[in-house]
């Protein structure tokens, strides 16, 4: 599985961005978004099951971020609203074999290259 993330950029606090992650292959995979700020470990942001029926979010993004997927296009999205400076990080999409939604880095076998999100105050 190869993943290609896109959509990052520079935005002012309160603004919005939409990240996309295109995946190769049609094997059922759960998908997730993680982020890593300088000097910090990669952390979970959001996850979605293969069917899209189950989603999880880390507490700090609940009500602001929305994860979705289009299996016909093999693409997962992360809509980010009301962005805050603390959301600044490199965002990575991951694919985990299975149909559930997963929240741990170790559960993901494949990773995209990352896309930078910078939120200015």
């Amino acid at each position: 599985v190869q993943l290609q993330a896109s959509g990052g950029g520079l935005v002012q606090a309160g603004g919005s961005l939409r990240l996309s992650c295109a995946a190769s292959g049609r094997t059922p995979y759960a998908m997730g978004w993680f982020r890593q700020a300088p000097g910090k470990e990669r952390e979970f942001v959001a996850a979605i099951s293969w069917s899209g029926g189950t989603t999880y979010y880390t507490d700090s993004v609940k009500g602001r971020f929305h994860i979705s997927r289009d299996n016909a296009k093999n693409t997962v999205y992360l809509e980010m609203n009301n962005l805050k400076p603390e959301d600044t990080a490199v965002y990575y999409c991951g694919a985990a074999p299975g149909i559930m939604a997963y929240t741990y880095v170790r559960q993901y076998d494949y990773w995209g290259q990352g896309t930078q999100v910078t939120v200015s105050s």
Side-chain angles (χ1 to χ4, degrees), residues 7 11 15 31 38-39 41-42 46 48 51 53 55-56 59 63-64 73 87-88 96 106 111 119:
V11 64
M31 300 292 291
E41 293 186 352
R42 190 170 299 189
I48 189 166
S51 69
T55 57
Y56 297 131
D59 286 345
R64 300 189 297 122
K73 296 181 179 180
D87 294 318
T88 295
R106 64 178 182 267
W111 294 95
V119 185

Side-chain angles (χ1 to χ4, degrees), residues 54-104:
T54 300
T55 57
Y56 297 131
Y57 299 90
T58 193
D59 286 345
S60 64
V61 309
K62 287 180 180 177
R64 300 189 297 122
F65 290 13
H66 177 70
I67 188 171
S68 62
R69 67 188 299 162
D70 183 340
N71 286 345
K73 296 181 179 180
N74 282 353
T75 302
V76 64
Y77 306 96
L78 184 67
E79 185 75 32
M80 305 185 294
N81 300 307
N82 191 21
L83 282 160
K84 303 176 180 181
E86 51 264 42
D87 294 318
T88 295
V90 177
Y91 283 69
Y92 296 91
C93 61
I99 61 173
M100 306 298 287
Y102 307 102
T103 63
Y104 293 97

Side-chain angles (χ1 to χ4, degrees), residues 12-49:
Q12 289 187 333
S16 298
L17 285 173
R18 188 175 83 154
L19 305 183
S20 299
C21 178
S24 63
R26 293 187 177 274
T27 302
Y29 281 97
M31 300 292 291
W33 287 96
F34 291 72
R35 64 189 179 188
Q36 188 166 15
K40 296 187 177 182
E41 293 186 352
R42 190 170 299 189
E43 67 173 2
F44 168 73
V45 176
I48 189 166
S49 61

